[in-house]
Amino acid sequence: MNSLFVEVVTVEKNIFSGEVDYLGIPAEDGDIGILPDHASLMTLVRFGELVIRYNNKEEYFALLGGFAEVNQNKVVILADACERIDSINEKRAQEAQLKAGERIATKNESLDIERALSSLRRADLRLKLAKKRKLRQGFKVNKSTDSS
């Protein structure tokens, strides 16, 4: 079976580069799955979970907007921001969520509301995906200890 070459990059760094079997992208109009030999495509990506599957393992990322292009078994994602879900510090994400919520609640005229809302959305996504990671890990532990 063919594979896809995937690059996920931000302005700051290359997040992922390599051959994969499957890619799940949070596209603007809904989540899409990309397999080898997918039709050419260009789409906006929204805040959501990016799934990369290769060598019988999966990696999960918090993707915070950008663009994706699929062309001839190559996928390039130009992300506004992206991080591995297993690197999310849940406590810091909770603090960021509270701080952003407090800033919005002040209704200060000098507040950049778009920036504050973006911070809140980012913190919300990071928390949601960190909790999802814990559930996955718990499922794997329970599944591996199940003797039936």
Side-chain angles (χ1 to χ4, degrees), residues 20-83:
V20 308
D21 305 315
Y22 169 82
L23 186 65
I25 301 174
E28 189 67 20
D29 293 328
D31 293 346
I32 57 174
I34 307 292
L35 292 168
D37 300 320
H38 195 283
S40 294
L41 163 73
M42 183 169 253
T43 185
L44 288 170
V45 295
R46 59 179 164 71
F47 280 41
E49 183 178 50
L50 175 67
V51 179
I52 299 176
R53 186 179 307 142
Y54 61 99
N55 297 331
N56 294 320
K57 73 175 193 172
E58 288 186 341
E59 288 193 43
Y60 304 93
F61 299 80
L63 183 60
L64 302 160
F67 297 91
E69 179 183 26
V70 179
N71 192 19
Q72 297 180 354
N73 284 329
K74 182 176 180 181
V75 181
V76 177
I77 297 175
L78 304 173
D80 296 336
C82 186
E83 66 183 311

Side-chain angles (χ1 to χ4, degrees), residues 50-127:
L50 175 67
V51 179
I52 299 176
R53 186 179 307 142
Y54 61 99
N55 297 331
N56 294 320
K57 73 175 193 172
E58 288 186 341
E59 288 193 43
Y60 304 93
F61 299 80
L63 183 60
L64 302 160
F67 297 91
E69 179 183 26
V70 179
N71 192 19
Q72 297 180 354
N73 284 329
K74 182 176 180 181
V75 181
V76 177
I77 297 175
L78 304 173
D80 296 336
C82 186
E83 66 183 311
R84 282 182 160 68
I85 291 176
D86 57 6
S87 71
I88 294 173
N89 180 320
E90 195 171 346
K91 184 177 179 186
R92 279 189 29 217
Q94 286 174 331
E95 290 169 359
Q97 184 185 46
L98 287 171
K99 187 175 178 181
E102 289 170 357
R103 276 197 323 253
I104 292 168
T106 65
K107 298 180 183 175
N108 185 333
E109 288 182 23
S110 64
L111 174 70
D112 182 346
I113 192 69
E114 289 300 317
R115 187 172 175 188
L117 287 171
S118 180
S119 294
L120 182 60
R121 287 179 49 220
R122 180 180 181 142
D124 287 347
L125 175 66
R126 294 175 82 234
L127 278 173

